[in-house]
Amino acid sequence: MQQKESAYEKEQRIKQKWQSDHTFQQSIAQRKKAKPFVFYEGPPTANGLPHVGHAFGRTVKDIVARYKTMQGFYVERKAGWDTHGLPVELAVEKELGISGKQEIEKYGIEKFIKKCQESVFTYEKKWRVFTEDLGYWLDMENPYVTLENNYIESVWSILSHVHKNGELYKGHRVSPYCPSCQTSLSSHEVAQGYKDVKDLSATAKFKLVNEENVYFLGWTTTPWTLPANVALAVNATLQYAKVQYEGDYYIVVQSLVEKLFSGQAQIVETMPGSALKGLKYEAPFNFVTLEKGHEVVLADYVTDSSGTGIVHIAPAYGEDDYRIVKENGLSFVNIVDGRGCYTAEVPPLAGRFVKDCDVDIIKMLAQSGRLFSKEKYEHSYPHCWRCDSPLLYYATDSWFINMQKHRDELVKLNSTVNWYPEHIKEGRFGNFLDHVLDWNISRNRYWGTPLNVWQCDECGHEVAPASIAELQQLSGQSLDTLELHKPYIDTVVCQCPLCEHTMHRTPEVIDVWFDSGSMPFAQHHYPFNKDIDFSQSFPADVVIEGIDQTRGFFYSLLAVSTLYKGVAPYKNVLSLGHILDEDGRKMSKSKGNALEPSEMMEAYGADALRWAFMTDSAPWNPKRFSHKTVQEAKSKFVDTFDNVFRFYKMYADIDGYVYDAQNKGIHTKMDEWILSRLEHTKVIANKAMEQYDFTQASREMGSFIEELSNWYIRRNRARFWATGMSDDKLAAYATLYESLTTIAQLAAPFTPFITEDIYTTLTGQSVHLADYPIGDASTIDVTLEAQMVAVRNIVELGRRIRNSSAVKVKQPLSELFIVSPVEELQDYAHIIKEELNIKELHFVKTLEDYEKIDYKLNFKTAGIAFGKNVNVMKSLVENLTEQQKRQFKLNGSLVLHIDDEPIVLKREHVEKTSHVPEGFAFEEEAGYEVLMNLQLTEDLLQEGQMREMIRIIQEKRKALDLPVEKYIEINFSANEENIEILKKFEALLQANMLVKRFNYNKKIVTPTITTKLFDDELWIELVY
């Protein structure tokens, strides 16, 4: 072992050993014939760098996979790369210094596609190093890659199935649209990109035809759509009012008259919304000419909850608007191009991005006298999840999958899945399924899986080939070497089986989420690969991703599996919370608060990072994270575990101890306690792991390591120092060995490096090839554990008294009185005495002979409990009799009376103050009470000085780097009085130091230590 090896260096050494020993491969191979535990790796994009969220997700995945492998399952861990889509295209555009579809086509689609192919693995090496450094075992040599022909062919097979079922169709409808990317989005993509923004709303005046000074007031949150107005919509069942205001007449919903006109308008006439149907009006702008339009229509979705109760309709920019216009046979107009800019039909604003023109539109309304009011408002608005541009709702031709037909089936299948946390199932995810829309599957872009639909130029017949072989048959071309991407796939022309005319492929590529959702099938080239038993890899036992994937990967998996197989693709879903900065803000490079996982691993080691993720809080909770969080995890668990191991190894090497399961010595109470705690830890950890409760499992292991280090070893050091190899010493070694090896196995999924280092050193075997320890509840000694908890609680209260009284533990004290809710602690009296350096213990039922108690009301809690009686209660509490106080202390409650009405006083209603005699100090907590006598006699003071001297000598030994097992001589030089004191306590000195002989008043020329003993000089010489 290298003493000065950093955590990162140690982990690199272990990583190299894994690689040379093929440990990962061995762990899979040895379970080859075991029952599979199916695990899906959601594919990251390799053209971006991993961030701390990836480190968290990959840690959780690795913990599950390692745990299940150690449980005896066969866990295949196939890596994957998401290589298609707009993120790749946008990165290439940036690299080439171009922007938009027109510039891509000018550059050349084939050249652009080649650049996309080159770019997708830009950071593949960094991802690989990051993954290996994190300790995430994943088969990165044989990954599934979404750009490969085999993967695309499997996706085609699924889409062909959907098409043959009549569920893939082309439609002209309003869809979310990114003007920057110039393509539409699916509803679940939109759900990922909402932001709170401030926009302008406008209330415009729509003049009735042939009516002087009479206007409809229409409210809109998208003023830029007003030049494309086709109709106004009202609700037939709402009451509307015609009001007179400042010389003009306005028609609005009656319930909003007061709000809109601030009580200054006079209602002239009321009518139901149905009476307004068909009324003609003049639009605020005359940029477009309509064959039929500019009239009032009826719509059920119009409400009086906001606006004016009259909705402006622009059919190209809203789903409801589009439907209303179609239902009423009105004209369709679109004045916005594919870049989100006004066309030449709006001359003043032509070529400008529409979302930037709200202010201009409002100014134009004001200039023409058609603006009634405007205001800023904050609302949640959808942005592109890929490029962050604000989305428009835009009427386009797109291909859709009929998901609404499968809504009930999706809900039913989701009901069979266990979600962690559970509320996502019926909440965030369930609500989304309840309102699922048809899946807009097509994208008018270049780099993606081509939509495998060929359409006849003549009769419009469609064919969706399910395989390359089927396409080859339809086209009559040899396609063995054809790459299935644009522009190559577009050279494949087929013959229509109905009319024998030419068929061309529709130009779109598909939504990348359909690629991802197909991975359970496409990763194995299903249904074409006959070498695998697909039933052994579907459905997944667990899928693990961030909560932002609720409407991404989780939904696309369920949707594709429902369409293709009619079954849920997973049994359990872990939806992980976000990693936030220490102030609770989302991390981002632009804010300068992003943490680099690779830097953290180099600084603290991957084990510390992984442990910090797990112990902080449940994996589905958002986590405030910082360097300090990881530093603490390293200190509390990783370093403590390593220190315990080093302690064991140091003494085992000195004694030449080798663990023998048949010769474990004779256990002490302390051995029995820590072994019971070990068994208890196994039971709790296994139960928690089965519930994916990694936080409880890891915290339980952390508690055990703390108890092992700070209690078991601290209480048993002398057993390891002892000469020879007695049964007692054998038991100490065997107990510590079993504790170390078992915790190494339990914690191996969490901290794979430190556990491997410890376990391999102790056993010669890899911990990751071992079985996961299973606890035996019948061997747990609950009484013993409770008693040891009581002892530690008493010791902690005693230490608290010493700290608050500024009396060091080295200074012995005469007596301690103890009240404990746990009885039968006499067997542990020596432990309490030694820990607190106390001469005598008194276990008593009560401290009433020493403690005088005063109670006063806690107004924060009492005010709520007692209300108007609180002042009366205050007086009653301050005047409690001694008997009432004792009763209250004993029972935790006391019945008092106000006007003969009983009122129950509880502990939380009062504040307690204890008074004890001078020279004593008192502490209490959770039913434990301790009273310590702080008065010092001459003997106690002398012993205190001796113990302080022992500390000084031991520190000097350490500074001199003397071997821990080395016995030395000690020479003292002091006045006669102090020499007598030293001789008096020689047995104490001998018991606490490795000393062959003490020599008194021997001439010392150069003292090793110069100190004071009762204010007189003391010289000490260490002879070694």
Side-chain angles (χ1 to χ4, degrees):
M1 298 191 319
Q2 299 174 33
Q3 295 298 313
K4 294 186 179 179
E5 190 179 39
S6 72
Y8 180 71
E9 288 166 344
K10 178 191 290 182
E11 291 175 356
Q12 291 299 304
R13 168 172 58 79
I14 294 165
K15 185 178 81 170
Q16 287 164 12
K17 181 167 172 52
W18 283 341
Q19 290 169 350
S20 62
D21 292 351
H22 304 289
T23 312
F24 170 42
Q25 292 76 9
Q26 284 187 64
S27 73
I28 301 291
Q30 73 176 13
R31 312 288 191 188
K32 187 73 176 175
K33 295 181 180 178
K35 182 182 177 182
F37 180 87
V38 182
F39 166 85
Y40 292 159
E41 163 68 355
T45 306
N47 73 329
L49 288 169
H51 53 68
V52 72
H54 290 118
F56 176 43
R58 296 200 147 201
T59 294
V60 177
K61 292 174 187 179
D62 190 55
I63 287 171
V64 172
R66 285 181 186 271
Y67 167 64
K68 286 298 176 181
T69 299
M70 291 179 75
Q71 268 197 318
F73 291 93
Y74 172 67
V75 187
E76 185 184 27
R77 285 168 257 180
K78 195 177 184 69
W81 296 112
D82 182 9
T83 54
H84 283 147
L86 265 165
V88 179
E89 288 194 34
L90 295 173
V92 171
E93 286 183 48
K94 188 176 180 181
E95 180 191 338
L96 295 173
I98 62 176
S99 179
K101 293 169 72 173
Q102 291 78 8
E103 292 188 28
I104 290 172
E105 290 175 9
K106 184 179 177 183
Y107 176 78
I109 293 174
E110 184 174 4
K111 285 199 298 179
F112 185 75
I113 292 298
K114 286 186 182 297
K115 281 285 186 184
C116 289
Q117 286 172 319
E118 292 168 9
S119 79
V120 291
F121 294 113
T122 302
Y123 299 115
E124 191 267 346
K125 186 178 179 183
K126 288 188 177 181
W127 269 94
R128 181 182 286 265
V129 170
F130 157 74
T131 302
E132 291 173 350
D133 283 355
L134 187 65
Y136 181 24
W137 275 357
L138 199 64
D139 182 4
M140 291 187 287
E141 299 303 323
N142 304 287
Y144 68 87
V145 185
T146 60
L147 62 76
E148 292 178 350
N149 273 11
N150 282 353
Y151 196 96
I152 292 171
E153 187 176 28
S154 290
V155 176
W156 276 10
S157 173
I158 299 167
L159 284 168
S160 176
H161 173 84
V162 175
H163 186 268
K164 283 168 185 168
N165 285 346
E167 295 167 346
L168 176 62
Y169 66 93
K170 191 172 188 178
H172 183 80
R173 63 169 65 175
V174 173
S175 301
Y177 180 85
C178 176
S180 177
C181 301
Q182 295 182 42
T183 191
S184 55
L185 288 82
S186 61
S187 58
H188 50 276
E189 286 181 292
V190 175
Q192 297 180 71
Y194 274 87
K195 288 184 175 183
D196 289 333
V197 295
K198 288 183 178 177
D199 273 329
L200 276 173
S201 68
T203 302
K205 296 156 68 171
F206 297 77
K207 184 179 179 302
L208 266 71
V209 172
N210 300 324
E211 292 269 2
E212 277 301 313
N213 301 333
V214 180
Y215 301 91
F216 290 110
L217 289 186
W219 179 69
T220 179
T221 58
T222 53
W224 63 267
T225 63
L226 284 167
N229 172 264
V230 169
L232 293 174
V234 299
N235 190 313
T237 62
L238 292 177
Q239 279 295 113
Y240 288 79
K242 181 179 181 181
V243 303
Q244 185 177 16
Y245 178 73
E246 295 184 353
D248 290 322
Y249 294 89
Y250 299 100
I251 297 173
V252 296
V253 72
Q254 185 176 351
S255 60
L256 292 175
V257 169
E258 181 74 21
K259 180 182 176 183
L260 288 165
F261 300 97
S262 304
Q264 303 300 309
Q266 181 182 349
I267 295 177
V268 176
E269 179 186 355
T270 63
M271 72 290 290
S274 56
L276 301 174
K277 182 181 178 183
L279 291 180
K280 296 282 189 178
Y281 64 85
E282 296 173 9
F285 297 103
N286 58 4
F287 296 124
V288 295
T289 303
L290 306 181
E291 287 186 23
K292 185 179 181 187
H294 295 154
E295 63 182 65
V296 177
V297 295
L298 303 179
D300 292 341
Y301 66 85
V302 177
T303 70
D304 61 354
S305 60
S306 61
T308 63
I310 300 173
V311 176
H312 139 71
I313 302 296
Y317 319 117
E319 291 180 71
D320 288 328
D321 301 45
Y322 184 83
R323 177 176 54 80
I324 289 293
V325 163
K326 282 189 74 174
E327 287 173 357
N328 288 276
L330 304 180
S331 298
F332 177 87
V333 295
N334 182 14
I335 56 170
V336 180
D337 64 20
R339 296 173 301 121
C341 299
Y342 284 116
T343 63
E345 290 176 281
V346 187
L349 304 173
R352 290 182 57 192
F353 181 51
V354 294
K355 283 285 290 177
D356 293 338
C357 293
D358 283 344
V359 172
D360 299 87
I361 292 293
I362 287 169
K363 284 181 179 177
M364 292 163 72
L365 287 172
Q367 288 166 3
S368 64
R370 291 300 187 91
L371 178 69
F372 180 77
S373 66
K374 68 180 191 302
E375 65 177 343
K376 275 192 175 181
Y377 73 107
E378 189 169 333
H379 66 136
S380 188
Y381 192 84
H383 287 66
C384 180
W385 66 276
R386 296 160 297 206
C387 72
D388 214 31
S389 299
L391 300 180
L392 306 179
Y393 281 81
Y394 192 76
T396 57
D397 285 328
S398 296
W399 289 87
F400 296 88
I401 294 177
N402 187 351
M403 295 308 302
Q404 294 183 69
K405 172 185 171 183
H406 292 276
R407 181 180 293 154
D408 291 344
E409 189 178 4
L410 290 165
V411 171
K412 183 180 177 182
L413 292 176
N414 182 47
S415 71
T416 68
V417 178
N418 298 314
W419 279 82
Y420 300 87
E422 192 177 5
H423 66 81
I424 300 284
K425 179 177 183 173
E426 303 296 338
R428 185 177 178 134
F429 195 67
N431 290 337
F432 181 73
L433 296 182
D434 287 340
H435 302 92
V436 75
L437 301 174
D438 287 356
W439 189 341
N440 183 340
I441 199 71
S442 61
R443 301 290 179 269
N444 294 308
R445 296 296 301 192
Y446 309 98
W447 178 239
T449 296
L451 182 58
N452 55 321
V453 176
W454 271 257
Q455 294 174 299
C456 179
D457 299 342
E458 185 66 24
C459 71
H461 177 64
E462 296 172 6
V463 175
S467 65
I468 296 170
E470 193 176 324
L471 179 60
Q472 189 164 290
Q473 189 177 358
L474 283 165
S475 66
Q477 299 174 240
S478 175
L479 306 177
D480 293 343
T481 60
L482 181 73
E483 184 184 330
L484 302 183
H485 282 110
K486 292 168 71 77
Y488 318 107
I489 191 64
D490 294 327
T491 64
V492 179
V493 178
C494 300
Q495 186 180 58
C496 179
L498 298 186
C499 69
E500 299 186 350
H501 278 80
T502 302
M503 303 182 84
H504 288 92
R505 192 188 73 82
T506 190
E508 297 89 353
V509 295
I510 68 165
D511 180 4
V512 289
W513 288 111
F514 200 91
D515 272 354
S516 298
S518 302
M519 65 76 53
F521 313 99
Q523 68 171 337
H524 298 298
H525 194 207
Y526 179 85
F528 308 101
N529 184 354
K530 306 303 181 186
D531 295 332
I532 65 157
D533 180 358
F534 183 71
S535 67
Q536 297 295 296
S537 62
F538 181 86
D541 286 286
V542 69
V543 176
I544 304 165
E545 299 294 340
I547 194 166
D548 52 325
Q549 295 299 322
T550 308
R551 295 165 186 179
F553 190 53
F554 298 146
Y555 171 70
S556 60
L557 282 173
L558 181 62
V560 172
S561 182
T562 302
L563 291 164
Y564 197 34
K565 294 294 180 183
V567 296
Y570 36 63
K571 299 172 187 175
N572 298 282
V573 176
L574 269 64
S575 181
L576 307 180
H578 291 300
I579 302 292
L580 309 173
D581 72 7
E582 57 190 335
D583 297 319
R585 299 175 304 163
K586 192 174 179 180
M587 289 187 189
S588 73
K589 287 187 178 178
S590 60
K591 291 178 184 173
N593 66 344
L595 296 174
E596 291 295 336
S598 295
E599 290 178 9
M600 298 182 90
M601 286 190 283
E602 286 181 24
Y604 313 109
D607 280 338
L609 180 63
R610 292 167 64 117
W611 192 257
F613 283 140
M614 292 306 104
T615 54
D616 177 80
S617 63
W620 32 87
N621 291 340
K623 298 178 188 297
R624 294 191 176 198
F625 214 70
S626 66
H627 280 268
K628 184 182 176 185
T629 316
V630 185
Q631 223 167 4
E632 286 179 358
K634 183 176 187 297
S635 172
K636 285 185 178 178
F637 182 78
V638 180
D639 290 348
T640 304
F641 192 11
D642 195 41
N643 289 338
V644 172
F645 163 65
R646 287 175 181 277
F647 173 87
Y648 169 88
K649 190 169 188 308
M650 177 174 64
Y651 286 101
D653 286 349
I654 291 168
D655 285 330
Y657 172 79
V658 177
Y659 175 74
D660 180 357
Q662 304 306 314
N663 185 17
K664 298 197 284 189
I666 300 172
H667 287 149
T668 64
K669 267 264 197 261
M670 192 64 81
D671 298 332
E672 291 168 1
W673 165 72
I674 199 67
L675 291 173
S676 178
R677 283 290 300 118
L678 183 63
E679 210 61 37
H680 212 151
T681 301
K682 285 193 277 183
V683 169
I684 293 171
N686 275 272
K687 185 178 178 182
M689 292 295 279
E690 285 304 297
Q691 295 298 315
Y692 300 102
D693 191 349
F694 313 117
T695 303
Q696 185 186 4
S698 58
R699 285 179 178 175
E700 189 65 24
M701 295 174 213
S703 294
F704 180 85
I705 284 293
E706 185 276 330
E707 291 167 353
L708 186 67
S709 172
N710 294 333
W711 194 244
Y712 180 81
I713 286 180
R714 216 164 56 76
R715 291 294 317 151
N716 289 278
R717 284 183 186 275
R719 297 169 72 190
F720 295 92
W721 296 342
T723 55
M725 188 60 74
S726 64
D727 280 342
D728 182 63
K729 192 172 186 180
L730 273 174
Y733 271 126
T735 300
L736 190 49
Y737 175 93
E738 289 172 6
S739 297
L740 284 166
T741 52
T742 304
I743 286 295
Q745 290 170 284
L746 285 172
F750 294 83
T751 52
F753 295 101
I754 184 71
T755 53
E756 180 77 318
D757 195 43
I758 291 172
Y759 194 84
T760 304
T761 304
L762 294 178
T763 70
Q765 303 294 319
S766 170
V767 72
H768 303 293
L769 302 180
D771 292 337
Y772 204 74
I774 300 171
D776 182 357
S778 68
T779 65
I780 297 170
D781 191 332
V782 177
T783 302
L784 175 57
E785 289 190 30
Q787 288 171 341
M788 198 61 78
V789 167
V791 169
R792 295 194 74 187
N793 285 339
I794 291 163
V795 169
E796 177 55 33
L797 289 175
R799 286 176 183 159
R800 210 181 288 174
I801 289 176
R802 280 185 171 274
N803 288 336
S804 61
S805 305
V807 179
K808 292 180 179 179
V809 178
K810 297 291 181 189
Q811 174 60 61
L813 296 172
S814 61
E815 58 186 343
L816 184 74
F817 297 85
I818 299 166
V819 175
S820 170
V822 178
E823 297 182 347
E824 305 299 328
L825 297 181
Q826 284 80 2
D827 288 349
Y828 307 94
H830 68 286
I831 295 177
I832 300 171
K833 285 180 181 180
E834 289 170 12
E835 285 294 317
L836 294 176
N837 202 359
I838 297 287
K839 297 300 180 181
E840 293 295 331
L841 296 187
H842 308 286
F843 290 99
V844 296
K845 295 290 184 184
T846 176
L847 292 174
E848 61 186 40
D849 291 341
Y850 293 90
E851 180 191 22
K852 184 178 181 301
I853 300 170
D854 286 330
Y855 291 108
K856 66 178 183 178
L857 219 55
N858 180 344
F859 280 92
K860 282 185 180 178
T861 53
I864 298 168
F866 305 129
K868 64 181 182 180
N869 291 321
V870 69
N871 286 324
V872 180
M873 285 296 291
K874 175 178 180 291
S875 177
L876 289 173
V877 167
E878 289 174 357
N879 290 285
L880 291 175
T881 66
E882 291 303 314
Q883 185 179 351
Q884 284 177 313
K885 290 177 183 179
R886 283 196 295 272
Q887 185 184 343
F888 183 42
K889 180 181 177 181
L890 181 67
N891 299 328
S893 64
L894 182 69
V895 177
L896 300 174
H897 292 82
I898 297 177
D899 297 333
D900 296 327
E901 286 291 322
I903 295 180
V904 179
L905 180 71
K906 297 180 180 178
R907 279 201 182 102
E908 61 263 30
H909 300 149
V910 299
E911 294 174 355
K912 177 190 171 193
T913 306
S914 293
H915 304 278
V916 295
E918 190 176 348
F920 287 80
F922 172 83
E923 277 287 349
E924 66 176 330
E925 189 172 282
Y928 295 91
E929 299 174 43
V930 297
L931 180 71
M932 188 178 286
N933 186 342
L934 301 174
Q935 298 168 90
L936 295 174
T937 64
E938 187 67 23
D939 277 353
L940 291 174
L941 285 168
Q942 287 176 357
E943 185 179 332
Q945 292 271 311
M946 291 300 102
R947 290 186 179 276
E948 180 62 22
M949 188 184 69
I950 290 168
R951 182 190 66 79
I952 293 169
I953 292 172
Q954 297 289 48
E955 284 186 357
K956 191 63 178 179
R957 279 189 64 129
K958 192 173 181 180
L960 292 170
D961 203 20
L962 296 181
V964 292
E965 75 278 14
K966 187 173 183 64
Y967 280 76
I968 64 172
E969 286 189 26
I970 299 180
N971 298 328
F972 293 114
S973 179
N975 63 32
E976 283 302 319
E977 188 179 347
N978 281 341
I979 289 294
E980 288 307 312
I981 294 171
L982 288 166
K983 288 178 179 179
K984 177 181 173 182
F985 288 97
E986 186 172 306
L988 176 69
L989 302 178
Q990 191 83 51
N992 286 277
M993 297 186 291
L994 299 183
V995 181
K996 291 185 287 188
R997 186 167 58 251
F998 293 105
N999 299 304
Y1000 301 100
N1001 267 342
K1002 189 170 183 180
K1003 186 177 180 182
I1004 298 174
V1005 178
T1006 307
T1008 313
I1009 300 167
T1010 303
T1011 185
K1012 296 277 187 182
L1013 185 61
F1014 289 104
D1015 297 326
D1016 289 319
E1017 196 165 71
L1018 171 66
W1019 282 17
I1020 305 170
E1021 182 180 29
L1022 307 185
V1023 182
Y1024 50 91

